[in-house]
Amino acid sequence: IQLKTNYQQAHFNLAMLLEERGDLSGAEHYYRQASELDLNDPQCLFNLGHVLKCLERWEDAEDAYLRLSGLTPDNLDVLINLGYVQVRQDRLDPAIETFHRILLQAPDYAEVHNNLSYIYERMGMLEEAIESARKAIQLKPFFPEGFNNLGTAYRTSGMIEEAIDAFDAAVRLQPEFPLARFNLGTSQLLNGDFE
């Protein structure tokens, strides 16, 4: 880089090494340099988005993934990450659009249906939340996160018995699932099952 400041590949390689060493701020700097030298390098933008996501710089990460989705509109990994950082910013309507873009290409993507269940429940769209969680479980029957989200949607809807059954299924599938155990316990509490 000292010999040739506009050597894009050297900036990219240095960024990768810094990222491997855990120097995320340094990696961000050199990924940005590399992406400015080649605006159409998808791998550079993907790595930049990943580093920004690890730094919890959600808005900057979204910008990187949005730029990248313009270059590679059919890349599901990019869209998954874009939806994730949108959710982390509580940008739920854009996240729904992003996840629906994924389902146009991969309608049987259980994790995406599960993500939509989480978003719909947060937005108070409880029928959609239940339907999306059921779809996730239908596609992936041994999916503890799907049962946990189904239970959450049921509980928010006031369907406590159904919520208990769903949380219990999540715990049976994955005994080391603290959130599902907590949800099961609080639902049993709501149901008066104190023991």
Side-chain angles (χ1 to χ4, degrees), residues 2 6 9 15 29 37 51 71 85 95 97 106 113 133 173 177 191:
Q2 287 177 348
N6 64 345
Q9 190 65 49
H29 172 77
L37 291 166
V51 164
L71 294 173
V85 298
E97 289 178 28
H113 288 285
L173 287 168
F177 190 171
N191 213 33

Side-chain angles (χ1 to χ4, degrees), residues 117-142:
S117 174
Y118 169 79
I119 294 170
Y120 288 140
E121 190 273 334
R122 293 250 330 257
M123 297 176 77
M125 301 168 65
L126 301 178
E127 287 182 23
E128 293 86 345
I130 291 169
E131 182 182 330
S132 294
R134 283 181 177 158
K135 181 69 173 176
I137 294 164
Q138 176 190 345
L139 293 166
K140 193 174 177 179
F142 303 103

